[in-house]
Coordinates of all heavy atoms in Angstrom, one line a residue:
M1 N 22.2 41.1 52.1 CA 22.9 40.1 53.0 C 22.2 38.8 52.9 O 21.1 38.7 52.4 CB 22.9 40.7 54.4 CG 23.8 40.0 55.4 SD 25.5 39.6 54.9 CE 26.2 41.2 54.9
V2 N 22.9 37.8 53.3 CA 22.3 36.4 53.3 C 21.9 36.1 54.8 O 22.4 36.6 55.7 CB 23.3 35.4 52.8 CG1 23.6 35.6 51.3 CG2 24.6 35.4 53.6
P3 N 20.9 35.2 54.9 CA 20.5 34.8 56.3 C 21.7 34.2 57.1 O 22.5 33.4 56.5 CB 19.4 33.8 56.1 CG 18.9 34.1 54.7 CD 20.1 34.6 53.9
K4 N 21.8 34.6 58.3 CA 22.9 34.1 59.1 C 22.4 33.8 60.5 O 21.5 34.4 61.0 CB 24.1 35.1 59.3 CG 24.7 35.5 58.0 CD 25.7 36.6 58.2 CE 25.1 37.9 58.6 NZ 23.9 38.4 57.9
G5 N 23.0 32.8 61.2 CA 22.6 32.5 62.5 C 23.8 31.9 63.3 O 25.0 32.0 62.8
W6 N 23.6 31.3 64.4 CA 24.6 30.7 65.2 C 24.6 29.2 65.1 O 23.5 28.6 65.0 CB 24.4 31.1 66.7 CG 24.6 32.5 66.9 CD1 23.5 33.4 67.1 CD2 25.8 33.3 66.9 NE1 24.1 34.7 67.3 CE2 25.4 34.7 67.2 CE3 27.1 33.0 66.8 CZ2 26.3 35.7 67.3 CZ3 28.0 34.0 66.9 CH2 27.7 35.3 67.1
P7 N 25.7 28.5 65.0 CA 25.7 27.1 64.9 C 25.1 26.4 66.2 O 25.2 27.1 67.3 CB 27.2 26.7 64.8 CG 28.0 27.9 65.1 CD 27.1 29.1 65.0
K8 N 24.6 25.2 66.1 CA 24.1 24.5 67.2 C 24.9 23.1 67.2 O 25.0 22.5 66.2 CB 22.6 24.3 67.2 CG 21.9 25.6 67.4 CD 20.4 25.3 67.5 CE 19.6 26.6 67.7 NZ 18.2 26.4 67.7
T9 N 25.3 22.7 68.4 CA 26.1 21.5 68.4 C 25.4 20.2 68.0 O 26.0 19.3 67.4 CB 26.7 21.2 69.8 OG1 25.6 21.2 70.8 CG2 27.7 22.3 70.2
D10 N 24.0 20.2 68.1 CA 23.3 19.0 67.8 C 22.6 19.1 66.4 O 21.9 18.2 66.0 CB 22.2 18.8 68.9 CG 21.2 19.9 69.0 OD1 21.6 21.0 68.6 OD2 20.2 19.7 69.6
T11 N 22.9 20.2 65.6 CA 22.3 20.3 64.3 C 23.4 20.6 63.3 O 24.2 21.5 63.5 CB 21.3 21.5 64.3 OG1 20.4 21.3 65.4 CG2 20.6 21.6 63.0
P12 N 23.4 19.9 62.2 CA 24.5 20.2 61.2 C 24.3 21.6 60.6 O 23.2 22.1 60.5 CB 24.1 19.1 60.0 CG 23.4 18.1 60.7 CD 22.6 18.7 61.8
D13 N 25.5 22.2 60.3 CA 25.5 23.6 59.8 C 24.6 23.8 58.6 O 23.9 24.8 58.6 CB 26.9 24.0 59.5 CG 27.8 24.2 60.7 OD1 27.2 24.2 61.9 OD2 29.0 24.3 60.6
A14 N 24.6 22.9 57.7 CA 23.7 23.1 56.5 C 22.3 23.1 56.9 O 21.5 23.9 56.3 CB 24.0 21.9 55.5
E15 N 21.9 22.2 57.8 CA 20.5 22.2 58.3 C 20.1 23.5 59.0 O 19.1 24.1 58.8 CB 20.3 21.0 59.2 CG 18.8 20.9 59.6 CD 18.6 19.6 60.5 OE1 19.3 18.6 60.3 OE2 17.7 19.7 61.4
M16 N 21.1 24.1 59.7 CA 20.8 25.4 60.4 C 20.7 26.5 59.4 O 19.9 27.4 59.5 CB 22.0 25.7 61.4 CG 21.9 25.0 62.7 SD 20.3 25.2 63.6 CE 20.2 27.0 63.7
A17 N 21.4 26.4 58.2 CA 21.3 27.4 57.2 C 19.8 27.4 56.6 O 19.3 28.4 56.4 CB 22.3 27.1 56.1
G18 N 19.3 26.2 56.5 CA 17.9 26.1 56.1 C 16.9 26.7 57.1 O 16.0 27.4 56.7
V19 N 17.2 26.5 58.4 CA 16.3 27.0 59.4 C 16.4 28.6 59.3 O 15.4 29.3 59.4 CB 16.8 26.5 60.8 CG1 16.1 27.3 61.9 CG2 16.5 25.0 60.9
E20 N 17.6 29.1 59.2 CA 17.8 30.6 59.1 C 17.1 31.1 57.9 O 16.5 32.2 58.0 CB 19.3 30.9 59.1 CG 19.9 30.7 60.4 CD 19.4 31.6 61.6 OE1 19.0 32.8 61.3 OE2 19.3 31.1 62.7
A21 N 17.2 30.4 56.8 CA 16.5 30.9 55.5 C 15.0 31.0 55.7 O 14.4 32.0 55.3 CB 16.8 30.0 54.4
Y22 N 14.4 30.1 56.5 CA 13.0 30.1 56.8 C 12.7 31.3 57.7 O 11.8 32.1 57.5 CB 12.5 28.8 57.3 CG 11.1 29.0 57.8 CD1 10.0 29.1 57.0 CD2 10.8 29.1 59.2 CE1 8.7 29.4 57.4 CE2 9.6 29.3 59.7 CZ 8.5 29.4 58.8 OH 7.3 29.7 59.3
E23 N 13.4 31.3 58.8 CA 13.2 32.3 59.9 C 13.3 33.7 59.4 O 12.5 34.6 59.7 CB 14.1 32.1 61.1 CG 13.7 30.8 61.9 CD 14.7 30.6 63.1 OE1 15.7 31.4 63.2 OE2 14.4 29.7 63.8
E24 N 14.3 34.0 58.5 CA 14.6 35.3 58.1 C 14.0 35.7 56.8 O 13.8 36.9 56.5 CB 16.1 35.5 58.0 CG 16.8 35.4 59.3 CD 18.3 35.8 59.3 OE1 18.7 36.5 58.3 OE2 19.0 35.4 60.2
A25 N 13.5 34.7 56.0 CA 13.0 35.1 54.6 C 11.8 34.2 54.2 O 11.3 34.4 53.1 CB 14.1 35.0 53.6
G26 N 11.4 33.3 55.0 CA 10.2 32.4 54.7 C 10.5 31.4 53.6 O 9.6 30.9 53.0
V27 N 11.8 31.1 53.4 CA 12.2 30.3 52.3 C 12.2 28.8 52.8 O 12.8 28.5 53.8 CB 13.6 30.7 51.7 CG1 14.1 29.7 50.7 CG2 13.6 32.0 51.2
R28 N 11.6 27.9 52.0 CA 11.7 26.5 52.2 C 12.4 25.8 51.1 O 12.3 26.3 49.9 CB 10.3 25.9 52.4 CG 9.5 26.6 53.5 CD 9.0 25.5 54.4 NE 8.2 26.1 55.5 CZ 8.4 25.9 56.7 NH1 9.4 25.3 57.2 NH2 7.6 26.5 57.6
G29 N 13.1 24.8 51.4 CA 13.8 24.1 50.3 C 14.8 23.1 50.8 O 14.9 22.8 52.0
S30 N 15.6 22.6 49.8 CA 16.6 21.6 50.1 C 18.0 22.3 50.1 O 18.4 22.9 49.1 CB 16.6 20.5 49.1 OG 17.6 19.6 49.2
V31 N 18.8 22.1 51.2 CA 20.1 22.7 51.4 C 21.1 21.7 50.9 O 21.2 20.6 51.4 CB 20.3 23.1 52.8 CG1 21.7 23.8 52.9 CG2 19.3 24.1 53.3
N32 N 22.1 22.1 50.1 CA 23.2 21.3 49.7 C 24.2 21.3 50.9 O 24.5 22.3 51.4 CB 23.9 21.9 48.5 CG 25.0 21.1 48.0 OD1 25.7 20.4 48.7 ND2 25.2 21.1 46.7
P33 N 24.6 20.1 51.4 CA 25.4 20.0 52.6 C 26.8 20.5 52.3 O 27.6 20.7 53.3 CB 25.4 18.6 53.0 CG 25.0 17.8 51.7 CD 24.2 18.8 50.9
D34 N 27.2 20.7 51.1 CA 28.6 21.2 50.8 C 28.6 22.7 50.7 O 27.8 23.3 49.9 CB 29.1 20.6 49.4 CG 29.2 19.1 49.4 OD1 29.5 18.5 50.4 OD2 28.8 18.5 48.4
P35 N 29.4 23.4 51.5 CA 29.4 24.8 51.6 C 29.8 25.4 50.2 O 30.6 24.9 49.5 CB 30.5 25.2 52.6 CG 30.7 23.9 53.4 CD 30.4 22.8 52.5
V36 N 29.2 26.6 49.9 CA 29.6 27.3 48.7 C 30.9 28.1 49.0 O 31.7 28.3 48.1 CB 28.4 28.3 48.3 CG1 28.9 29.3 47.3 CG2 27.2 27.5 48.0
G37 N 31.0 28.5 50.2 CA 32.2 29.3 50.6 C 31.9 30.0 52.0 O 31.0 29.6 52.7
S38 N 32.8 30.9 52.3 CA 32.6 31.6 53.6 C 33.1 33.1 53.4 O 33.8 33.4 52.5 CB 33.3 30.9 54.7 OG 34.7 30.9 54.4
F39 N 32.7 33.9 54.4 CA 33.1 35.3 54.4 C 33.2 35.8 55.8 O 32.5 35.2 56.7 CB 32.3 36.2 53.5 CG 30.8 36.4 54.0 CD1 30.5 37.5 54.7 CD2 29.9 35.4 53.8 CE1 29.2 37.7 55.2 CE2 28.6 35.5 54.3 CZ 28.2 36.7 54.9
H40 N 34.0 36.8 56.1 CA 34.1 37.4 57.4 C 33.1 38.5 57.6 O 32.7 39.2 56.6 CB 35.5 38.0 57.6 CG 36.6 36.9 57.7 ND1 37.1 36.4 56.5 CD2 37.1 36.3 58.7 CE1 38.0 35.5 56.9 NE2 38.0 35.4 58.2
L41 N 32.6 38.7 58.8 CA 31.6 39.8 59.1 C 31.7 40.2 60.5 O 32.3 39.4 61.3 CB 30.2 39.4 58.7 CG 29.5 38.3 59.6 CD1 28.1 38.7 59.8 CD2 29.7 36.9 59.1
E42 N 31.2 41.3 60.8 CA 31.0 41.7 62.2 C 29.5 41.6 62.5 O 28.7 42.1 61.8 CB 31.4 43.2 62.4 CG 32.9 43.4 62.2 CD 33.3 44.9 62.4 OE1 32.4 45.8 62.4 OE2 34.5 45.1 62.6
K43 N 29.2 40.8 63.6 CA 27.9 40.6 64.0 C 27.6 41.3 65.3 O 28.4 41.1 66.3 CB 27.6 39.1 64.1 CG 26.2 38.7 64.3 CD 25.9 37.3 64.0 CE 24.5 36.9 64.1 NZ 24.1 35.6 63.7
R44 N 26.5 42.1 65.4 CA 26.1 42.7 66.6 C 25.5 41.7 67.6 O 24.6 41.0 67.2 CB 25.1 43.8 66.3 CG 25.7 44.9 65.5 CD 24.8 46.1 65.4 NE 25.3 47.1 64.4 CZ 26.4 47.8 64.6 NH1 27.1 47.8 65.7 NH2 26.8 48.7 63.6
I45 N 26.0 41.7 68.8 CA 25.5 40.7 69.8 C 25.0 41.4 71.0 O 24.6 40.8 72.0 CB 26.6 39.7 70.2 CG1 27.9 40.4 70.7 CG2 27.0 38.8 69.0 CD1 28.9 39.4 71.3
G46 N 24.8 42.7 70.9 CA 24.2 43.5 72.0 C 24.5 44.9 71.8 O 25.2 45.3 70.8
P47 N 24.0 45.8 72.6 CA 24.2 47.2 72.4 C 25.7 47.6 72.5 O 26.3 47.3 73.5 CB 23.4 47.8 73.6 CG 22.5 46.8 74.1 CD 23.1 45.5 73.7
G48 N 26.2 48.1 71.4 CA 27.6 48.5 71.4 C 28.6 47.4 71.4 O 29.8 47.6 71.5
T49 N 28.1 46.1 71.2 CA 29.0 45.0 71.2 C 29.0 44.3 69.8 O 28.0 43.9 69.3 CB 28.7 43.9 72.3 OG1 28.6 44.6 73.5 CG2 29.6 42.8 72.3
V50 N 30.2 44.1 69.2 CA 30.3 43.5 67.9 C 31.3 42.4 68.0 O 32.3 42.5 68.7 CB 30.8 44.6 66.9 CG1 31.1 43.9 65.5 CG2 29.8 45.7 66.8
M51 N 31.0 41.3 67.3 CA 31.9 40.1 67.4 C 32.3 39.8 65.9 O 31.5 39.8 65.0 CB 31.1 38.9 67.9 CG 31.9 37.6 67.9 SD 30.8 36.3 68.5 CE 31.6 36.0 70.1
E52 N 33.6 39.6 65.8 CA 34.1 39.1 64.5 C 33.7 37.7 64.2 O 34.0 36.8 65.1 CB 35.7 39.2 64.4 CG 36.2 40.7 64.5 CD 36.0 41.4 63.2 OE1 36.0 40.8 62.1 OE2 35.9 42.6 63.3
C53 N 33.1 37.4 63.1 CA 32.6 36.0 62.8 C 33.0 35.6 61.4 O 33.3 36.5 60.5 CB 31.1 36.0 62.9 SG 30.4 36.4 64.5
V54 N 33.0 34.4 61.1 CA 33.1 33.8 59.8 C 31.8 33.1 59.5 O 31.4 32.2 60.2 CB 34.3 32.8 59.7 CG1 34.3 32.2 58.3 CG2 35.6 33.5 60.0
A55 N 31.1 33.5 58.4 CA 29.9 32.9 58.0 C 30.1 31.9 56.9 O 30.7 32.2 55.9 CB 28.9 33.9 57.6
T56 N 29.6 30.7 57.0 CA 29.7 29.7 56.0 C 28.4 29.7 55.2 O 27.3 29.7 55.8 CB 29.9 28.3 56.6 OG1 31.1 28.3 57.4 CG2 30.1 27.2 55.5
V57 N 28.5 29.7 53.9 CA 27.4 29.9 53.0 C 27.0 28.6 52.3 O 27.9 27.9 51.8 CB 27.6 31.0 51.9 CG1 26.4 31.1 51.0 CG2 28.0 32.3 52.6
Y58 N 25.7 28.2 52.4 CA 25.2 27.0 51.7 C 24.2 27.4 50.7 O 23.4 28.3 50.9 CB 24.6 26.1 52.8 CG 25.5 25.6 53.8 CD1 25.8 26.3 54.9 CD2 26.2 24.4 53.6 CE1 26.8 25.8 55.9 CE2 27.1 23.9 54.5 CZ 27.4 24.6 55.6 OH 28.3 24.1 56.5
A59 N 24.1 26.6 49.6 CA 23.1 26.8 48.6 C 21.8 26.1 49.0 O 21.9 25.0 49.5 CB 23.6 26.3 47.2
L60 N 20.7 26.7 48.7 CA 19.4 26.1 49.0 C 18.6 26.2 47.7 O 18.4 27.3 47.2 CB 18.8 27.0 50.1 CG 17.4 26.5 50.6 CD1 17.3 26.8 52.1 CD2 16.3 27.1 49.9
E61 N 18.1 25.0 47.3 CA 17.1 25.0 46.2 C 15.7 25.3 46.7 O 15.2 24.5 47.5 CB 17.2 23.7 45.5 CG 16.3 23.6 44.2 CD 16.5 22.3 43.4 OE1 17.4 21.5 43.7 OE2 15.7 22.2 42.5
V62 N 15.2 26.4 46.3 CA 13.9 26.8 46.9 C 12.7 26.0 46.3 O 12.6 25.8 45.1 CB 13.6 28.3 46.5 CG1 12.3 28.8 47.0 CG2 14.7 29.2 47.2
S63 N 11.9 25.5 47.2 CA 10.7 24.7 46.8 C 9.4 25.5 47.2 O 8.3 25.1 46.8 CB 10.7 23.3 47.4 OG 10.7 23.4 48.9
G64 N 9.6 26.5 48.1 CA 8.4 27.3 48.5 C 8.7 28.5 49.3 O 9.8 28.6 49.8
L65 N 7.8 29.4 49.4 CA 7.9 30.6 50.1 C 6.7 30.8 51.0 O 5.6 30.7 50.5 CB 8.0 31.8 49.2 CG 9.2 31.9 48.2 CD1 9.0 33.0 47.2 CD2 10.5 32.0 49.0
D66 N 6.9 31.1 52.3 CA 5.8 31.3 53.2 C 5.7 32.8 53.4 O 6.7 33.5 53.8 CB 6.1 30.7 54.6 CG 6.0 29.1 54.5 OD1 5.5 28.6 53.5 OD2 6.4 28.5 55.5
P67 N 4.6 33.4 53.2 CA 4.4 34.9 53.3 C 4.5 35.3 54.8 O 4.9 36.4 55.1 CB 3.0 35.2 52.8 CG 2.3 33.9 52.8 CD 3.3 32.8 52.7
E68 N 4.2 34.4 55.7 CA 4.4 34.7 57.1 C 5.5 33.8 57.7 O 5.4 32.6 57.5 CB 3.1 34.5 57.9 CG 1.9 35.4 57.5 CD 2.2 36.8 57.8 OE1 2.7 37.1 58.9 OE2 1.8 37.7 57.0
F69 N 6.5 34.5 58.3 CA 7.6 33.7 58.9 C 8.1 34.5 60.1 O 7.7 35.6 60.3 CB 8.7 33.5 57.8 CG 9.1 34.8 57.1 CD1 10.2 35.6 57.6 CD2 8.5 35.2 55.9 CE1 10.5 36.7 56.9 CE2 8.8 36.3 55.3 CZ 9.9 37.1 55.8
P70 N 8.9 33.9 60.9 CA 9.2 34.5 62.2 C 9.7 35.9 62.2 O 9.4 36.7 63.0 CB 10.3 33.5 62.8 CG 9.9 32.2 62.2 CD 9.4 32.5 60.8
E71 N 10.5 36.3 61.2 CA 11.0 37.7 61.1 C 10.4 38.5 60.0 O 11.0 39.5 59.6 CB 12.6 37.6 61.0 CG 13.2 36.9 62.2 CD 14.7 36.8 62.2 OE1 15.3 37.6 61.5 OE2 15.2 36.0 62.9
S72 N 9.2 38.2 59.6 CA 8.6 38.8 58.4 C 8.4 40.3 58.7 O 8.5 41.1 57.7 CB 7.3 38.2 58.0 OG 6.4 38.2 59.1
G73 N 8.2 40.8 59.9 CA 8.0 42.2 60.1 C 9.3 43.0 60.2 O 9.3 44.2 60.2
Q74 N 10.5 42.3 60.2 CA 11.8 42.9 60.3 C 12.6 42.9 59.0 O 13.7 43.4 58.9 CB 12.6 42.1 61.3 CG 11.9 42.0 62.7 CD 12.7 41.0 63.6 OE1 13.9 41.0 63.6 NE2 11.9 40.2 64.3
R75 N 12.1 42.2 57.9 CA 12.9 42.0 56.7 C 12.2 42.5 55.5 O 11.0 42.5 55.4 CB 13.1 40.5 56.5 CG 13.7 39.8 57.7 CD 15.1 40.1 57.9 NE 15.6 39.4 59.0 CZ 16.7 39.7 59.7 NH1 17.4 40.8 59.4 NH2 17.1 39.0 60.7
Q76 N 13.0 43.0 54.5 CA 12.5 43.3 53.2 C 13.2 42.2 52.3 O 14.4 42.2 52.2 CB 13.0 44.7 52.8 CG 12.5 45.1 51.4 CD 12.9 46.5 51.1 OE1 13.4 47.3 51.9 NE2 12.6 46.9 49.9
I77 N 12.4 41.5 51.6 CA 12.8 40.3 50.8 C 13.0 40.8 49.4 O 12.2 41.5 48.8 CB 11.8 39.2 50.9 CG1 11.5 38.8 52.3 CG2 12.4 38.0 50.1 CD1 12.7 38.4 53.1
G78 N 14.1 40.3 48.7 CA 14.4 40.6 47.3 C 15.0 39.4 46.7 O 15.8 38.7 47.3
W79 N 14.7 39.2 45.4 CA 15.3 38.1 44.7 C 16.2 38.7 43.6 O 15.8 39.5 42.8 CB 14.2 37.2 44.1 CG 13.5 36.4 45.1 CD1 12.3 36.8 45.7 CD2 13.9 35.2 45.8 NE1 12.0 35.9 46.7 CE2 13.0 34.9 46.8 CE3 15.0 34.4 45.6 CZ2 13.1 33.8 47.6 CZ3 15.1 33.3 46.5 CH2 14.1 33.0 47.4
F80 N 17.4 38.2 43.5 CA 18.4 38.7 42.6 C 19.2 37.6 42.0 O 19.4 36.5 42.6 CB 19.4 39.7 43.3 CG 18.7 40.8 44.0 CD1 18.5 40.7 45.4 CD2 18.3 41.9 43.4 CE1 17.8 41.7 46.1 CE2 17.6 42.9 44.1 CZ 17.4 42.8 45.4
S81 N 19.8 37.8 40.8 CA 20.7 36.8 40.3 C 22.0 36.9 41.1 O 22.2 37.9 41.9 CB 21.1 37.2 38.8 OG 21.8 38.4 38.8
P82 N 22.9 35.9 41.1 CA 24.1 36.0 41.9 C 24.9 37.3 41.5 O 25.4 38.0 42.4 CB 24.9 34.8 41.5 CG 23.8 33.8 41.2 CD 22.8 34.6 40.5
A83 N 25.0 37.7 40.3 CA 25.7 38.9 39.9 C 25.0 40.2 40.4 O 25.7 41.1 40.9 CB 25.8 39.0 38.4
E84 N 23.7 40.2 40.4 CA 23.0 41.4 40.9 C 23.2 41.5 42.5 O 23.4 42.5 43.0 CB 21.5 41.3 40.6 CG 21.1 41.5 39.2 CD 19.7 41.1 38.9 OE1 19.1 40.2 39.5 OE2 19.1 41.8 38.1
A85 N 23.1 40.3 43.1 CA 23.3 40.3 44.6 C 24.7 40.7 44.9 O 24.9 41.5 45.9 CB 23.0 38.9 45.1
A86 N 25.7 40.3 44.1 CA 27.1 40.6 44.4 C 27.3 42.1 44.3 O 28.1 42.7 45.1 CB 28.0 39.9 43.4
A87 N 26.6 42.8 43.4 CA 26.7 44.3 43.3 C 26.0 45.0 44.4 O 26.3 46.2 44.7 CB 26.1 44.7 42.0
K88 N 25.1 44.3 45.2 CA 24.3 45.0 46.2 C 24.9 44.9 47.6 O 24.6 45.6 48.5 CB 22.9 44.5 46.2 CG 22.1 44.9 45.0 CD 20.7 44.4 45.0 CE 19.9 44.9 43.9 NZ 19.6 46.4 43.9
V89 N 25.7 43.8 47.9 CA 26.2 43.6 49.2 C 27.4 44.5 49.5 O 28.2 44.8 48.6 CB 26.5 42.1 49.5 CG1 25.3 41.2 49.3 CG2 27.6 41.6 48.6
A90 N 27.6 44.8 50.8 CA 28.7 45.7 51.2 C 30.0 44.9 51.4 O 31.0 45.5 51.2 CB 28.3 46.4 52.5
S91 N 29.9 43.6 51.7 CA 31.1 42.8 52.0 C 31.8 42.4 50.7 O 31.2 41.7 49.9 CB 30.7 41.6 52.8 OG 31.7 40.6 52.7
P92 N 33.1 42.8 50.5 CA 33.8 42.4 49.3 C 33.9 40.9 49.2 O 33.9 40.3 48.2 CB 35.2 43.1 49.5 CG 34.9 44.2 50.3 CD 33.8 43.8 51.3
E93 N 34.1 40.2 50.4 CA 34.3 38.8 50.4 C 33.0 38.1 50.0 O 33.0 37.1 49.2 CB 34.6 38.2 51.8 CG 36.1 38.4 52.2 CD 36.3 37.8 53.5 OE1 35.7 38.3 54.5 OE2 37.2 36.9 53.6
L94 N 31.8 38.5 50.5 CA 30.5 38.0 50.1 C 30.3 38.3 48.6 O 29.8 37.4 47.9 CB 29.4 38.5 50.9 CG 28.0 38.0 50.6 CD1 27.9 36.5 50.6 CD2 27.0 38.6 51.6
S95 N 30.6 39.5 48.2 CA 30.4 39.8 46.8 C 31.2 38.9 45.8 O 30.7 38.4 44.8 CB 30.9 41.3 46.5 OG 30.7 41.6 45.2
D96 N 32.5 38.6 46.2 CA 33.3 37.7 45.4 C 32.7 36.3 45.4 O 32.6 35.6 44.4 CB 34.7 37.7 46.0 CG 35.6 36.8 45.2 OD1 35.8 37.0 44.0 OD2 36.3 35.9 45.8
L97 N 32.2 35.8 46.6 CA 31.6 34.5 46.7 C 30.4 34.4 45.8 O 30.2 33.5 45.0 CB 31.2 34.3 48.1 CG 30.8 32.9 48.5 CD1 31.1 32.6 50.0 CD2 29.3 32.7 48.3
L98 N 29.5 35.5 45.8 CA 28.3 35.5 44.9 C 28.7 35.5 43.5 O 28.0 34.9 42.6 CB 27.4 36.7 45.3 CG 26.8 36.5 46.7 CD1 26.2 37.9 47.1 CD2 25.7 35.5 46.7
T99 N 29.7 36.3 43.1 CA 30.2 36.4 41.7 C 30.6 35.0 41.2 O 30.3 34.7 40.0 CB 31.3 37.4 41.6 OG1 30.9 38.7 42.0 CG2 31.8 37.5 40.2
R100 N 31.2 34.2 42.0 CA 31.7 32.9 41.6 C 30.7 31.8 41.7 O 30.9 30.7 41.1 CB 32.9 32.5 42.5 CG 34.2 33.4 42.2 CD 35.4 32.9 43.1 NE 35.3 33.4 44.5 CZ 35.1 32.5 45.5 NH1 35.1 31.2 45.3 NH2 35.0 33.0 46.7
F101 N 29.6 32.1 42.4 CA 28.5 31.1 42.6 C 27.8 30.7 41.3 O 27.4 31.6 40.5 CB 27.5 31.6 43.6 CG 26.4 30.6 43.9 CD1 26.6 29.3 44.4 CD2 25.1 30.9 43.5 CE1 25.6 28.4 44.6 CE2 24.1 30.0 43.7 CZ 24.3 28.8 44.3
E102 N 27.7 29.4 41.0 CA 27.0 28.9 39.8 C 25.9 28.0 40.3 O 26.2 26.9 40.7 CB 27.9 28.2 38.9 CG 29.0 29.1 38.3 CD 29.9 28.4 37.3 OE1 29.5 27.3 36.8 OE2 31.0 28.9 37.1
P103 N 24.6 28.5 40.3 CA 23.5 27.6 40.8 C 23.3 26.4 39.9 O 23.7 26.3 38.8 CB 22.3 28.5 40.7 CG 22.8 29.9 40.3 CD 24.2 29.8 39.9

């Protein structure tokens, strides 16, 4: 899966994507403000509660990785080509987006 979060009214979506990439994977870099695409998902928002969401995906050019980050104890990090990632994700929409992505 890709890092996801909630939008904030005072922060551009692309900037929030960079914040989520750091919090969930320790990734630092420059986010392209133009979205790569979007996909639908169900996001758990509490015990037994699921919300239908649309996630907008942004490309981030990685300039560094922090070994310690806010969610480091909750995540297993892996690096894959877009084609490899497309084969690993459960969402057909995200898989299609990754297949079409050209870094």
Side-chain angles (χ1 to χ4, degrees):
M1 192 46 74
V2 295
K4 297 171 301 306
W6 296 104
K8 292 187 178 176
T9 55
D10 59 342
T11 307
D13 290 345
E15 186 177 326
M16 280 306 303
V19 168
E20 289 297 322
Y22 170 72
E23 290 178 354
E24 295 188 20
V27 174
R28 300 236 185 237
S30 175
V31 180
N32 185 327
D34 298 323
V36 171
S38 62
F39 67 100
H40 293 83
L41 71 144
E42 292 182 344
K43 191 164 182 171
R44 296 192 189 287
I45 57 172
T49 306
V50 175
M51 176 183 253
E52 294 284 331
C53 297
V54 176
T56 303
V57 178
Y58 294 87
L60 181 148
E61 184 174 352
V62 177
S63 61
L65 300 171
D66 290 347
E68 295 295 321
F69 49 92
E71 298 181 21
S72 58
Q74 305 168 40
R75 307 287 180 202
Q76 182 178 354
I77 307 300
W79 291 96
F80 308 97
S81 70
E84 291 170 323
K88 291 183 176 291
V89 298
S91 164
E93 284 182 300
L94 179 55
S95 179
D96 183 55
L97 190 152
L98 290 166
T99 299
R100 292 182 283 112
F101 178 66
E102 295 182 20

